[in-house]
């Protein structure tokens, strides 16, 4: 993937932020990337990252201001400035909102704008109940036009039997395929 204009959405699942930051950094080496973050990412420090440190790293690698409000996200549609969007990590809550047309924070509203502009969205799921009640929303997104999932696996089948997480190292390959309206296969990965 080179010379693409990428909108990179970052939601909760804070334990995955370090791995996602590595992929974001790699994408920024050959592409023009702008980040959009959920309110929780913008306001919450966690045991994984101090918010200011994390947001500082995101801004340093993207070289753009971070979109973090509804007002800023609303401009994504009319600007029509991006080739593709990736949301990583996407939480079960954001998957539910997208599957049911609820666009009440910067990442979901930005995704709605991308769909308005007939652009594809790649998402990487990270949730403790992906094989539970949240599965219906995740699999609904997989079945929707313009949505492509980064292949995933159970991340702790014996201690968190319903938990799934995308393989972040497959992000760029999934995006390459999505730019050609194809889903990277297989979607379901074996254990490690």
């Amino acid at each position: 993937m080179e010379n693409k204009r990428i909108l990179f959405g970052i939601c909760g699942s804070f334990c995955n932020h370090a791995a996602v930051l590595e992929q974001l950094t790699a994408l920024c080496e050959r592409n023009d990337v702008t980040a959009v973050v959920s309110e929780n990412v913008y306001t919450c420090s966690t045991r994984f990252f101090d918010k200011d440190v994390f947001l500082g790293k995101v801004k340093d690698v993207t070289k753009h201001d971070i979109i973090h409000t509804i007002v800023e996200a609303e401009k994504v549609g009319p600007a029509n400035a991006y080739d593709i969007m990736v949301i990583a990590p996407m939480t079960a809550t954001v998957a539910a909102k997208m599957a049911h047309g609820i666009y009440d924070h910067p990442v979901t509203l930005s995704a709605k704008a991308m769909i308005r502009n007939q652009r594809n969205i790649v998402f990487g799921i990270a949730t403790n109940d992906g094989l539970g009640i949240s599965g219906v929303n995740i699999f609904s997104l997989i079945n929707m036009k313009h949505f492509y999932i980064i292949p995933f696996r159970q991340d702790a089948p014996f201690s968190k039997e319903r938990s799934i997480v995308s393989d972040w190292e497959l992000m760029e390959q999934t995006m390459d395929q999505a730019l050609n309206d194809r889903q990277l296969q297989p979607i379901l990965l074996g254990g490690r």
Side-chain angles (χ1 to χ4, degrees):
M1 174 158 305
E2 289 187 71
N3 302 318
K4 298 299 180 188
R5 298 163 303 160
I6 301 167
L7 186 60
F8 198 108
I10 305 171
C11 301
S13 192
F14 296 96
C15 61
N16 285 285
H17 282 185
V20 166
L21 187 59
E22 285 182 30
Q23 299 305 314
L24 171 63
T25 301
L27 285 172
C28 289
E29 291 174 3
R30 299 175 314 280
N31 301 279
D32 183 15
V33 184
T34 300
V36 54
V37 300
S38 68
E39 292 99 335
N40 286 341
V41 171
Y42 196 75
T43 60
C44 296
S45 291
T46 69
R47 63 189 170 107
F48 302 103
F49 270 110
D50 174 273
K51 68 177 178 64
D52 294 325
V53 171
F54 179 72
L55 296 170
K57 289 181 179 188
V58 170
K59 189 171 178 180
D60 285 347
V61 298
T62 64
K63 310 286 191 272
H64 292 289
D65 288 335
I66 297 169
I67 298 170
H68 64 92
T69 68
I70 289 285
V71 173
E72 294 165 334
E74 190 278 329
K75 298 173 186 173
V76 170
N80 198 12
Y82 304 103
D83 300 308
I84 192 167
M85 181 177 190
V86 60
I87 304 173
M90 177 188 275
T91 62
T93 300
V94 172
K97 289 179 182 212
M98 293 303 304
H100 294 281
I102 301 169
Y103 310 113
D104 63 349
H105 74 55
V107 177
T108 58
L109 187 61
S110 295
K112 174 188 176 188
M114 294 295 288
I115 294 166
R116 164 200 162 176
N117 293 333
Q118 299 291 304
R119 300 288 190 238
N120 291 335
I121 298 168
V122 167
F123 68 101
I125 197 69
T127 178
N128 286 333
D129 70 336
L131 298 179
I133 193 70
S134 295
V136 67
N137 296 314
I138 296 162
F139 286 93
S140 291
L141 285 182
I142 291 171
N143 197 43
M144 288 182 178
K145 184 177 180 180
H146 297 299
F147 284 89
Y148 299 87
I149 192 166
I150 300 169
F152 62 91
R153 63 174 46 88
Q154 286 181 275
D155 60 314
F158 301 105
S159 59
K160 299 185 297 181
E161 63 187 27
R162 291 178 177 81
S163 184
I164 58 174
V165 66
S166 284
D167 184 334
W168 307 121
E169 293 180 6
L170 296 176
M171 182 183 296
E172 190 168 339
Q173 286 177 260
T174 306
M175 293 172 72
D176 282 333
Q177 292 296 308
L179 283 167
N180 293 303
D181 300 321
R182 290 194 303 263
Q183 172 63 57
L184 181 66
Q185 296 290 343
I187 293 172
L188 300 174
L189 303 173
R192 285 191 170 172

